[in-house]
Amino acid sequence: MLGATGATGRKVVERAQALGHDVVAVSRRQQQEVPPSAMVTRFTGDVRDRLSLMPAFAGADAVISCIGPDSNLKPGNLMSVGISNSLAACQASGVRLFIMQSGIMLTDGADLSAFDRWALRLVHLVFRKAIADKAIAERAVRESGLSWVIVRAVGLRDLPAGKNYVAGPDARVALLRPLPFADCADCLVRAATNEGSWTGKIVNVGRV
Ligand SMILES: NC(=O)c1ccc[n+]([C@@H]2O[C@H](COP(=O)([O-])OP(=O)(O)OC[C@H]3O[C@@H](n4cnc5c(N)ncnc54)[C@H](OP(=O)(O)O)[C@@H]3O)[C@@H](O)[C@H]2O)c1
């Protein structure tokens, strides 16, 4: 699990454990955010350094990425470089399934309401660079030769899990209606464990 200290990643670690999965939690620094547990191995790695990821990936059934840049307004190239390195580390380690947390702002709008398509144009103006970097990352996932699921989330908030979210390929979600981090995490764990029909698909997750 990449990005285990982040707002979504912490919830992924929690949810995966609650469902009985062992987790290797990867991030660059000491992980006070990830409580010690018999089911969690905390691991220091940097997605800019492919070799640093390989010991963490050895023996894993799937890798979930919740990495993100510090700011979507100054995104740099973390997603394009980090996801490419993570895919290469999966290939070298024999991991077959890769789940990437992405954003609904990557959609072309065909699956949104007319109002949301209009709002999306503004979002694209503001987050142009972040979208461009994530688009490169998404393409690398699609062309990796691995089994994959790209999960495009709406804006996320620190709210209690609602469990009333919608998720699926082409699911119509409300662009501006925030989703709890925990619900997005639940969707990511489902993608990694028991939603075989999502493999090779882009899945939207949000609320109606
Ligand atoms: N938050 C939202 O509303 C939202 C909505 C839709 C999509 N998304 C996308 O979903 C992803 C996760 O979002 P989030 O809000 O949960 O992110 P976040 O809280 O900012 O967490 C980002 C994570 O990425 C890790 N990271 C950053 N650089 C890294 C590196 N070089 N090597 C390894 N790990 C690195 C950080 O770990 P360390 O700093 O500990 O290394 C942290 O765990 C992002 O791509 C974001 O754009 C977010």
Side-chain angles (χ1 to χ4, degrees), residues 3 5-8 28-29 46-47 66-68 101-102 134 153-154 156:
T5 52
T8 315
R28 286 169 299 180
R29 52 201 171 78
D46 188 327
V47 295
C66 296
I67 62 162
Q101 182 183 7
S102 184
K134 271 209 182 98
V154 298
L156 302 169

Side-chain angles (χ1 to χ4, degrees), residues 69-181:
D70 293 336
S71 162
N72 271 333
L73 290 169
K74 293 183 186 166
N77 61 1
L78 176 76
M79 296 303 290
S80 52
V81 171
I83 293 289
S84 292
N85 282 335
S86 305
L87 294 164
C90 283
Q91 284 153 347
S93 310
V95 178
R96 295 213 310 261
L97 178 59
F98 188 84
I99 315 297
M100 175 187 165
Q101 182 183 7
S102 184
I104 196 68
M105 58 190 186
L106 272 287
T107 178
D108 62 7
D111 39 8
L112 300 181
S113 69
F115 174 79
D116 281 352
R117 279 198 296 280
W118 173 82
L120 184 69
R121 275 193 243 136
L122 297 183
V123 171
H124 276 209
L125 286 178
V126 176
F127 296 113
R128 186 173 48 85
K129 288 184 180 164
I131 290 169
D133 189 51
K134 271 209 182 98
I136 296 168
E138 284 199 355
R139 192 177 322 123
V141 172
R142 294 196 306 270
E143 295 175 355
S144 64
L146 300 173
S147 295
W148 57 268
V149 183
I150 292 170
V151 173
R152 288 179 174 167
V154 298
L156 302 169
R157 295 284 178 280
D158 201 5
L159 300 167
K163 294 280 168 65
N164 57 351
Y165 68 87
V166 292
D170 304 320
R172 177 168 286 201
V173 293
L175 183 72
L176 303 176
R177 194 153 180 226
L179 181 73
F181 286 107

Side-chain angles (χ1 to χ4, degrees), residues 3-94:
T5 52
T8 315
R10 292 195 300 271
K11 298 292 182 186
V12 168
V13 175
E14 267 177 44
R15 185 65 184 144
Q17 278 188 90
L19 293 172
H21 301 289
D22 291 320
V23 180
V24 179
V26 183
S27 72
R28 286 169 299 180
R29 52 201 171 78
Q30 296 293 318
Q31 298 179 5
Q32 280 105 348
E33 297 91 340
V34 181
S37 150
M39 295 171 76
V40 176
T41 305
R42 297 186 285 186
F43 190 93
T44 306
D46 188 327
V47 295
R48 292 190 182 278
D49 173 6
R50 178 176 61 86
L51 293 179
S52 76
L53 304 175
M54 295 196 27
F57 288 5
D61 295 322
V63 168
I64 300 176
S65 166
C66 296
I67 62 162
D70 293 336
S71 162
N72 271 333
L73 290 169
K74 293 183 186 166
N77 61 1
L78 176 76
M79 296 303 290
S80 52
V81 171
I83 293 289
S84 292
N85 282 335
S86 305
L87 294 164
C90 283
Q91 284 153 347
S93 310

